Amino acid sequence: MPKPIVSSPRARRSALALALTLALPLTQAVAQDATGPSSPSDTRHDKATSLDAVVVTATPLQSSAEELAQPVEVLSGEKLDEARGATLGETVGKLPGVQSSNFGAGVGRPIIRGMEGPRVGVMTGGLASQDVSTVSQDHNAAVEPFLADQIEVLKGPATLLYGSGAIGGVVNIVDGRIAEKPLDETVSGRAEVRRSSVSDGVTGMARVDASGADGALVLHADGVYRNNDDYNTPLGRQRNSFVDTKTGALGASLVGDVGFLGFSAARYEDKYGNPGEPGNAEEGESPVHIDMRQNRFELKGGINQEFGIFSGLRASVADTEYEHTEFEGSEVGTRFLNDATEGRLELTHKPLAGWVGAIGLQGYERTFQAIGEEAFVPKTKTRAAGLFVTEQRKWDQLQIELGARIDKVESSPSGAAKRDFNPLSLSAGAMWKFNDAWRLTFNVDRAERAPAEEELFANGLHAATASFEIGDADLRKERANQFELGLHYHGAKFEAKLAAYQTRFDGFIYLIDTGAFEEDNPVRQWSQADATFNGFEGEAIAHLFDGDAGKFDVRLFGDTVRAKLDNGGGNLPRIAPSRIGGELRWDADSWRASLGATRYMKQDKVALNETPTDGYTLVDAHMAYHWDSDNLGYEVFLDGTNLTDQVARVHTSFLKDSVVLPGRGVDFGVRVFF
């Protein structure tokens, strides 16, 4: 059985060093009177807030989405409640330009503008989740969307802020485990219980935030339990698609007018089946399932007052101990271990010649290893450090954003020569607000990415993808040059945003099917070639009516991406299909309801030896009733998914030929806010 995870002396020393550093300037600050504005743990009751106006915490200047030239999407409040799914990819998968990978009900990682894996960063409070979800599509991200206060999606290269891996974008989970401001109430929180018909599943969550009479000490606790059986499909039961998740955290913060200092400890346990290997009892084959465990310790601090030329400081460190075991029945197959420590420091500065911005440092050390007969990647230690600067200036209707980052990445595998990379990323963006309603944005980025461990050093049978996977230790940096043009309109009766982009890759790294076989398994080779991504995405919301009967809105959205190798090299594999969707929404004082449909087009622009997928339409509906009693708020809800019981295969999945999405299902439950 897997050994218990224990904290390393190195990690404890690094966390202690940062704690002492941060505590010095904050010792007196946290003792001051803790008053001032704060964000509630749940924004459900604030119906008037536009998601574009919500502050994006993933940016150093804490701007709202509508104040940024870079494309950003935010989910919070009611919209997040309705979108929450068992995986992060499922939760954000209806945002324009964002879809999800799929490896059954237990796995769904975000795909941004056709890019996935190591090109999309998954963050918790601005620090990487440090799981191994980028190594293989059957590995889930170790984050829990049911505990998120807010989810932020930065589309396009986010390498300037979050390192050379985030060449496609970043999804940041804001969980509030470490409070940065005093609470509005002495005790606040929320809880939810739901039942799912499609999997006979139940999910329960709760979170509580509490502070003392003076408000200086804020305590936090949260937890989620999810137990889903194999789900139903239009073709019958999807065998071995169960999910069993347990996660929770404790946090404590000292907060004051001048700053904050806090610590949190979290445990994540996730057990789920691999529907691609359901086993066969008649032939003595046992089903394959995955048992994932992660311990995460975070320390964060900040200063909100000016000192020298600086206007604020944020510092954080996270130590993560991750273990992931693939079982064949009760027998241990392969174990994946990933121990990582990451630190980040941001300093915002006062206006200098009209420019405001931030300078920062980020670094991590990670040791990844796979143990077992199917360990296709050697034990690898990776060290990385980066320095970044981002600046912004406004001239009346014009805003300019500039940024630069330099990284040093060193990967040292056991038994092979190490590789060193120095990715350099540059960005420039402009936003022209030519009147109160219209704004035009333009972004140009040059981003570089160091190859990941599996891309460099893989060599062996990868059971999850049922292939023999071969890396290339001579891969060079991947470079992307992106151009994007966006148009936004925000009026009283109508809102819309459109974007067109092109990303030209010099040395795009991808997994190609060679057509050869090794022990009856197809051989796939990590390769590198120039490639181009072209895409469009858009969203429009019409506010049709606002009166005594409530508000009626119509939302339309769509996205498409075309990804090809240059010089006639053909299509890239597993590219998300085009889609278009619509939703009619009604919102009254106590009631809200919606009915929507999303059409996923057929994907027949496939790579060599890749199978196409048919199109399908998913219809969903939501209804909720909310009422308040004293200091408590209650909400009962009903969510319907795939109401027309369509057979739907996810083109981005390695299992698309054998695994389909859940059929018609209804979730019902109750939420409590206090």
Side-chain angles (χ1 to χ4, degrees):
M1 294 298 292
K3 297 180 180 179
I5 300 175
V6 296
S7 179
S8 65
R10 171 189 54 75
R12 290 193 291 267
R13 287 195 299 270
S14 61
L16 179 60
L18 183 61
L20 294 174
T21 302
L22 293 174
L24 290 175
L26 293 174
T27 303
Q28 295 181 343
V30 295
Q32 296 180 4
D33 180 41
T35 59
S38 72
S39 298
S41 62
D42 191 276
T43 57
R44 154 68 180 84
H45 300 283
D46 191 3
K47 291 177 176 287
T49 300
S50 166
L51 292 182
D52 282 342
V54 175
V55 171
V56 180
T57 66
T59 58
L61 297 179
Q62 304 284 286
S63 303
S64 67
E66 63 187 0
E67 295 173 325
L68 294 169
Q70 182 180 13
V72 178
E73 302 281 352
V74 178
L75 276 177
S76 68
E78 293 175 355
K79 297 295 180 65
L80 177 55
D81 281 343
E82 294 174 9
R84 292 186 202 272
T87 67
L88 180 60
E90 181 184 349
T91 301
V92 300
K94 285 190 177 179
L95 295 173
V98 185
Q99 296 195 38
S100 177
S101 67
N102 181 273
F103 211 88
V107 183
R109 206 174 188 277
I111 299 173
I112 300 179
R113 295 180 169 179
M115 300 181 204
E116 61 176 321
R119 296 181 186 88
V120 174
V122 174
M123 308 287 169
T124 299
L127 293 174
S129 59
Q130 293 295 357
D131 46 48
V132 298
S133 61
T134 62
V135 174
S136 175
Q137 203 181 67
D138 66 323
H139 300 173
N140 194 27
V143 296
E144 179 48 67
F146 268 75
L147 294 175
D149 292 336
Q150 182 171 307
I151 300 179
E152 304 160 350
V153 180
L154 282 66
K155 294 183 286 189
T159 55
L160 290 172
L161 294 176
Y162 296 108
S164 63
I167 205 167
V170 155
V171 180
N172 183 48
I173 306 294
V174 182
D175 55 29
R177 287 172 171 171
I178 298 176
E180 300 185 11
K181 297 179 181 179
L183 300 179
D184 284 336
E185 304 290 341
T186 303
V187 178
S188 66
R190 66 180 188 268
E192 176 178 324
V193 177
R194 68 167 60 195
R195 181 81 180 181
S196 175
S197 67
V198 76
S199 63
D200 295 323
V202 61
T203 300
M205 67 80 61
R207 80 167 271 170
V208 178
D209 296 278
S211 64
D214 61 357
L217 176 64
V218 179
L219 301 178
H220 172 94
D222 66 48
V224 167
Y225 172 72
R226 178 183 297 108
N227 184 269
N228 295 341
D229 292 337
D230 294 348
Y231 63 77
N232 290 316
T233 81
L235 305 178
R237 205 75 154 160
Q238 188 69 63
R239 294 175 56 213
N240 204 33
S241 61
F242 72 90
V243 180
D244 190 349
T245 306
K246 305 178 187 72
T247 182
L250 297 173
S253 302
L254 293 172
V255 296
D257 291 337
V258 179
F260 72 96
L261 177 63
F263 175 81
S264 70
R267 173 76 168 181
Y268 184 88
E269 297 182 4
D270 197 15
K271 182 184 293 185
Y272 55 91
N274 178 346
E277 296 182 280
N280 188 323
E282 295 181 357
E283 297 181 3
E285 290 183 355
S286 299
V288 174
H289 75 273
I290 290 170
D291 195 343
M292 177 198 304
R293 302 176 183 182
Q294 184 188 73
N295 289 334
R296 184 179 178 92
F297 307 94
E298 290 190 44
L299 182 67
K300 293 184 180 181
I303 298 174
N304 298 328
Q305 68 177 8
E306 296 181 351
F307 54 100
I309 65 169
F310 298 106
S311 57
L313 174 148
R314 289 291 184 274
S316 54
V317 65
D319 181 69
T320 304
E321 300 157 337
Y322 175 97
E323 182 179 21
H324 165 138
T325 306
E326 297 180 359
F327 286 90
E328 299 173 7
S330 60
E331 298 293 325
V332 174
T334 306
R335 293 174 62 216
F336 294 87
L337 304 177
N338 193 61
D339 293 339
T341 300
E342 180 182 10
R344 183 179 180 86
L345 175 70
E346 291 179 2
L347 285 162
T348 54
H349 65 76
K350 301 176 187 177
L352 299 175
W355 291 87
V356 294
I359 185 170
L361 295 168
Q362 180 184 10
Y364 68 84
E365 180 177 287
R366 178 177 67 232
T367 300
F368 165 77
Q369 60 179 317
I371 303 169
E373 60 183 18
E374 295 172 357
F376 67 102
V377 181
K379 180 178 180 180
T380 305
K381 176 174 285 188
T382 303
R383 294 186 178 93
L387 170 67
F388 65 89
V389 60
T390 177
E391 296 293 328
Q392 180 187 104
R393 185 172 179 180
K394 298 179 181 179
W395 294 269
D396 296 327
Q397 298 172 311
L398 180 65
Q399 177 176 305
I400 300 295
E401 299 174 9
L402 302 174
R405 178 175 179 128
I406 181 68
D407 284 276
K408 180 176 177 57
V409 182
E410 178 185 284
S411 293
S412 303
S414 295
K418 71 176 182 179
R419 292 294 311 275
D420 293 320
F421 303 93
N422 293 288
L424 173 67
S425 299
L426 304 169
S427 73
M431 180 168 61
W432 178 32
K433 296 183 179 180
F434 46 91
N435 62 35
D436 291 339
W438 290 92
R439 58 190 175 102
L440 183 70
T441 61
F442 177 71
N443 287 278
V444 56
D445 303 270
R446 176 191 187 273
E448 293 184 338
R449 181 178 75 89
E453 293 98 328
E454 67 275 13
E455 296 168 339
L456 290 168
F457 308 121
N459 187 22
L461 178 63
H462 189 181
T465 60
S467 64
F468 195 91
E469 200 166 303
I470 302 174
D472 183 352
D474 294 325
L475 292 174
R476 65 185 190 278
K477 290 183 297 185
E478 182 181 84
R479 179 180 300 161
N481 295 310
Q482 176 176 277
F483 306 89
E484 184 200 37
L485 185 66
L487 183 63
H488 303 247
Y489 176 80
H490 292 269
K493 294 293 185 179
F494 185 74
E495 303 173 43
K497 50 187 175 183
L498 299 170
Y501 60 88
Q502 182 183 80
T503 306
R504 301 187 66 88
F505 281 92
D506 177 5
F508 182 81
I509 301 171
Y510 65 105
L511 190 61
I512 188 172
D513 196 326
T514 65
F517 286 84
E518 180 76 24
E519 299 178 358
D520 297 327
N521 294 289
V523 176
R524 295 190 173 112
Q525 169 78 53
W526 285 104
S527 306
Q528 192 163 38
D530 296 345
T532 301
F533 285 61
N534 291 301
F536 300 89
E537 63 194 38
E539 181 181 38
I541 301 174
H543 305 292
L544 301 180
F545 178 81
D546 187 357
D548 294 339
K551 296 168 56 179
F552 288 87
D553 295 341
V554 171
R555 172 182 178 253
L556 299 174
F557 78 97
D559 49 46
T560 183
V561 61
R562 185 80 167 91
K564 299 173 59 178
L565 295 170
D566 293 348
N567 303 318
N571 301 308
L572 285 169
R574 293 173 297 281
I575 297 300
S578 303
R579 62 181 179 168
I580 185 170
E583 177 188 59
L584 174 64
R585 184 179 183 87
W586 170 63
D587 198 336
D589 288 338
S590 298
W591 290 90
R592 72 177 188 274
S594 66
L595 176 65
T598 305
R599 175 64 182 176
Y600 292 79
M601 308 304 179
K602 68 177 181 180
Q603 180 58 288
D604 54 7
K605 298 178 177 62
V606 295
L608 184 66
N609 300 313
E610 182 187 14
T611 56
T613 49
D614 294 331
Y616 53 90
T617 301
L618 297 181
V619 178
D620 61 78
H622 304 275
M623 179 177 290
Y625 176 73
H626 183 95
W627 74 96
D628 295 315
S629 177
D630 296 326
N631 293 325
L632 295 177
Y634 299 91
E635 186 170 281
V636 291
F637 63 91
L638 194 66
D639 297 336
T641 55
N642 195 5
L643 294 178
T644 57
D645 211 29
Q646 292 270 294
V647 175
R649 300 182 186 274
V650 180
H651 186 80
T652 59
S653 174
F654 281 98
L655 303 181
K656 63 179 181 290
D657 295 328
S658 59
V659 175
V660 300
L661 290 178
R664 182 185 298 112
V666 176
D667 284 14
F668 58 94
V670 60
R671 302 183 180 102
V672 181
F673 308 91
F674 55 92

